[in-house]
Amino acid sequence: MKAKRSARLVDMTRYLMENPNTVVPLTFFANRYDSAKSSISEDLTILRKTFMETGTGVLETIPGAAGGSMFMPGIQKHEASLFIDEVQSALADNSRVLPGGYVYMNDLLNRPSILRQIGRIIATLYSDKKIDAVLTVATKGIPVAQSVATLLNVPFVIARHDSRITDGSTISVNYISGSQKRIEKMVLSKRSLPANSNVLIVDDFLRGGGSADGLCSLIKEFDSEVAGIAFVAERDYEGQRKISEDDYTSLFKIDTNDGDIKVDLGNFTYDNFSEVTKEEE
Amino acid sequence: MKAKRSARLVDMTRYLMENPNTVVPLTFFANRYDSAKSSISEDLTILRKTFMETGTGVLETIPGAAGGSMFMPGIQKHEASLFIDEVQSALADNSRVLPGGYVYMNDLLNRPSILRQIGRIIATLYSDKKIDAVLTVATKGIPVAQSVATLLNVPFVIARHDSRITDGSTISVNYISGSQKRIEKMVLSKRSLPANSNVLIVDDFLRGGGSADGLCSLIKEFDSEVAGIAFVAERDYEGQRKISEDDYTSLFKIDTNDGDIKVDLGNFTYDNFSEVTKEEE
């Protein structure tokens, strides 16, 4: 379509948001809108500035023949911190405490708007890593993994405790559940993860770390590397976890002793988050 | 922030895409950008026209005191049909056939870009229905359900075959598995679905229809209504299904007799899809 600047700005924003972490050549937009490359360059400058000022993410310019623009979604410190505070308040509710000190979080982790913000925060925490795939284990981790994978625009891969016919051939590992000291099994479809992938593990809740440890073993079996491990929340845990504190990030730390819930910030830091560079509402 | 039209167009596009199916008052944008309502109205006209011409969706104007603008994501016939053709070709690959005539689709249903298009198509198919929640059953249906729910901006609710501590209190139903004639159980967390919800059931694959029938029973147990049932694919099925052909839509119909895969279009129609109103690239 032959498009004016105003229409181009709207459509380029839409296109880049739907295709994050992908290099889009200048010529793609020039052809799409039947416009001069110089006009497209000016459009991209407007997008870059607006994305930065509103904390939407970074629009990188990739130089060279294979170059173009790449949108990397993120979230700025100010917005992340407001969101974290809101969820912290929502979690700090004794009616969430279930038998055994478990915590009901379904109502938060089934809302697309909350999942998107969690995804933006986890994507920002790992924005300095190269990530080829997101891995989780069924069931509760899937929505969070999908949200992160959507922002990174990489496949997300779901391990299971039991294999299904529809997985085809699988690779399985055994691991010791951290909290219950049982031997458990975890399987992943052989076709689902190519060798030499950098894999971000994402899950909803960390207790003993057994599942995460199992997922790390699976990644090794696929000749791939663990790029990081991210949890929405971790529980206060007595004893030795299967994964080290240095190897994961969590957004919240939840203590449910005596049926009273106490929610603190997790072990993540705001180091990777940029500040808003202009005053905002 | 005080913003010029160009920055407003970028940020409004971003905002509306991240908050679909939500009425955004004119004053929200006017305050956000420190701009006159008349300018915001003109911006919205540009967005509406561009969204329509590019098939991004419909930007509705809601009149009255509680009014504003509401973005309803969708997909136009032309783009939907190109996408359906691509996936049809990708599915028609004999290496996907698994023992028992099952079909490997994980590689497609774990890619965010494919899930988004499937989500847009299902959202368009049910665009004339009021939908308060999307329901699926663990595990394979979750990514599709999440994609649809994200576009509709409603919670998605996950039933399971086994209840977990973290579900809290649950309601369970028994149902007869359509394909294997066994009695199965399905549970849903009591807190996860408010009464009087209009619920869209979404799943990856239809065989005998037992799971979908079970999900319909669950919805009744929650004093709610079935707004529709959507599958990515259905399998050629001999015998009586547990749900009627009139009650569901499928995007693909897959036949795997003799190990040869044959992929046809499902029973959906393009009736709800609009045509692109201007020539496109």
Side-chain angles (χ1 to χ4, degrees):
Chain A
M1 63 183 197
K2 177 84 184 160
K4 285 203 287 192
R5 165 146 297 153
S6 53
R8 291 199 308 259
L9 291 173
V10 171
D11 193 59
M12 287 166 85
T13 302
R14 196 267 311 158
Y15 187 88
L16 290 167
M17 284 184 66
E18 288 189 348
N19 298 276
N21 285 301
T22 305
V23 179
V24 184
L26 212 58
T27 47
F28 172 84
F29 286 131
N31 293 338
R32 184 174 169 88
Y33 308 123
D34 195 5
S35 300
K37 282 191 190 180
S38 56
S39 307
I40 301 293
S41 276
E42 290 165 21
D43 297 343
L44 289 167
T45 303
I46 296 169
L47 264 75
R48 185 173 300 114
K49 189 164 171 285
T50 309
F51 284 171
M52 193 184 67
E53 287 175 9
T54 55
T56 303
V58 175
L59 187 60
E60 275 210 5
T61 306
I62 315 288
S69 286
M70 184 166 77
F71 171 55
M72 297 160 66
I75 189 167
Q76 283 183 326
K77 192 174 167 179
H78 173 74
E79 189 180 354
S81 140
L82 278 177
F83 171 77
I84 290 283
D85 289 353
E86 271 174 41
V87 177
Q88 186 179 5
S89 304
L91 283 171
D93 173 350
N94 285 343
S95 75
R96 293 188 176 278
V97 181
L98 300 170
Y102 285 82
V103 179
Y104 185 82
M105 306 202 299
N106 288 9
D107 59 324
L108 300 174
L109 297 187
N110 74 8
R111 280 167 58 190
S113 56
I114 289 184
L115 286 168
R116 189 184 57 240
Q117 295 298 67
I118 290 175
R120 289 174 71 194
I121 291 173
I122 294 177
T124 305
L125 287 171
Y126 291 91
S127 56
D128 53 355
K129 304 274 184 183
K130 183 183 175 303
I131 294 166
D132 305 309
V134 171
L135 173 66
T136 193
V137 58
T139 308
K140 294 259 194 280
I142 300 175
V144 188
Q146 180 165 351
S147 176
V148 175
T150 301
L151 288 163
L152 298 177
N153 205 9
V154 298
F156 61 103
V157 181
I158 303 167
R160 308 171 59 113
H161 291 289
D162 54 333
S163 71
R164 292 287 171 97
I165 296 175
T166 44
D167 283 334
S169 314
T170 56
I171 290 179
S172 74
V173 296
N174 293 309
Y175 67 96
I176 313 277
S177 114
S179 41
Q180 292 170 46
K181 313 286 181 209
R182 278 195 315 222
I183 296 184
E184 307 243 16
K185 194 178 141 180
M186 201 180 264
V187 302
L188 185 57
S189 174
K190 253 184 106 166
R191 309 189 205 185
S192 62
L193 189 64
N196 303 312
S197 297
N198 292 294
V199 185
L200 178 64
I201 294 172
V202 172
D203 211 348
D204 62 330
F205 213 83
L206 168 65
R207 279 168 289 264
S211 297
D213 191 43
L215 290 169
C216 289
S217 306
L218 262 182
I219 290 172
K220 275 188 209 121
E221 290 297 327
F222 279 81
D223 298 319
S224 291
E225 296 286 331
V226 180
I229 312 177
F231 299 97
V232 177
E234 64 174 300
R235 187 175 155 191
D236 199 49
Y237 190 73
E238 284 183 23
Q240 182 69 35
R241 279 207 168 107
K242 301 286 173 191
I243 56 171
S244 147
E245 166 108 25
D246 299 335
D247 292 337
Y248 71 83
T249 50
S250 65
L251 305 186
F252 301 100
K253 202 168 270 181
I254 300 184
D255 181 353
T256 55
N257 286 339
D258 316 317
D260 265 341
I261 196 163
K262 190 166 154 279
V263 183
D264 289 315
L265 294 199
N267 72 350
F268 79 101
T269 69
Y270 283 110
D271 293 351
N272 267 5
F273 293 72
S274 57
E275 294 274 10
V276 178
T277 49
K278 255 181 108 175
E279 74 280 3
E280 274 212 304
E281 287 304 295
Chain B
M1 61 185 198
K2 176 85 184 159
K4 286 203 288 194
R5 164 146 298 153
S6 53
R8 291 198 307 260
L9 291 174
V10 171
D11 192 59
M12 286 166 85
T13 303
R14 196 267 312 159
Y15 187 88
L16 291 166
M17 284 185 64
E18 289 189 347
N19 298 277
N21 284 301
T22 306
V23 180
V24 184
L26 213 58
T27 47
F28 172 84
F29 286 131
N31 292 337
R32 183 174 170 88
Y33 308 124
D34 195 5
S35 301
K37 282 193 191 178
S38 56
S39 308
I40 300 293
S41 275
E42 289 165 22
D43 297 343
L44 288 167
T45 303
I46 296 169
L47 264 76
R48 185 173 301 113
K49 188 162 170 287
T50 309
F51 285 170
M52 192 185 69
E53 286 176 7
T54 56
T56 302
V58 175
L59 187 61
E60 275 211 5
T61 305
I62 315 288
S69 288
M70 184 165 79
F71 171 54
M72 297 159 67
I75 189 167
Q76 283 182 327
K77 191 174 168 180
H78 173 74
E79 188 181 355
S81 141
L82 278 177
F83 171 77
I84 290 282
D85 289 351
E86 272 173 41
V87 176
Q88 187 179 4
S89 304
L91 282 172
D93 173 350
N94 285 343
S95 74
R96 294 188 177 277
V97 180
L98 300 170
Y102 285 84
V103 179
Y104 184 82
M105 306 201 300
N106 288 9
D107 59 324
L108 301 174
L109 297 186
N110 74 7
R111 280 167 59 190
S113 55
I114 289 183
L115 286 168
R116 189 185 57 241
Q117 296 297 70
I118 291 175
R120 288 173 72 195
I121 291 172
I122 294 177
T124 305
L125 287 172
Y126 290 92
S127 56
D128 53 354
K129 303 274 183 182
K130 182 182 175 303
I131 294 166
D132 304 309
V134 172
L135 173 66
T136 191
V137 58
T139 304
K140 294 262 196 278
I142 300 176
V144 188
Q146 179 164 351
S147 176
V148 176
T150 301
L151 287 163
L152 298 178
N153 205 8
V154 298
F156 61 102
V157 182
I158 304 168
R160 307 171 58 112
H161 291 288
D162 54 335
S163 71
R164 291 288 171 97
I165 296 174
T166 45
D167 283 334
S169 312
T170 56
I171 290 178
S172 75
V173 295
N174 293 309
Y175 67 97
I176 312 278
S177 114
S179 39
Q180 292 167 46
K181 314 284 178 209
R182 280 194 316 224
I183 296 184
E184 308 242 15
K185 194 178 141 180
M186 203 180 264
V187 302
L188 184 57
S189 174
K190 251 185 110 166
R191 307 191 206 183
S192 63
L193 189 65
N196 302 314
S197 298
N198 292 294
V199 185
L200 177 65
I201 294 172
V202 171
D203 211 346
D204 63 330
F205 212 84
L206 169 65
R207 280 169 289 265
S211 297
D213 190 45
L215 289 168
C216 290
S217 305
L218 262 182
I219 290 171
K220 274 187 212 125
E221 290 298 326
F222 280 80
D223 298 318
S224 291
E225 294 288 331
V226 180
I229 312 177
F231 299 97
V232 177
E234 65 174 299
R235 186 174 155 191
D236 200 50
Y237 190 75
E238 284 182 25
Q240 182 71 33
R241 280 207 169 105
K242 300 286 171 190
I243 55 172
S244 147
E245 166 107 26
D246 298 336
D247 292 338
Y248 70 84
T249 51
S250 65
L251 305 187
F252 302 99
K253 204 167 269 182
I254 299 183
D255 182 352
T256 55
N257 286 339
D258 317 317
D260 265 342
I261 196 163
K262 190 166 155 280
V263 184
D264 288 316
L265 294 199
N267 72 350
F268 79 101
T269 69
Y270 283 110
D271 292 352
N272 265 5
F273 294 71
S274 56
E275 294 274 10
V276 178
T277 48
K278 253 180 107 176
E279 76 280 2
E280 272 212 306
E281 287 302 295

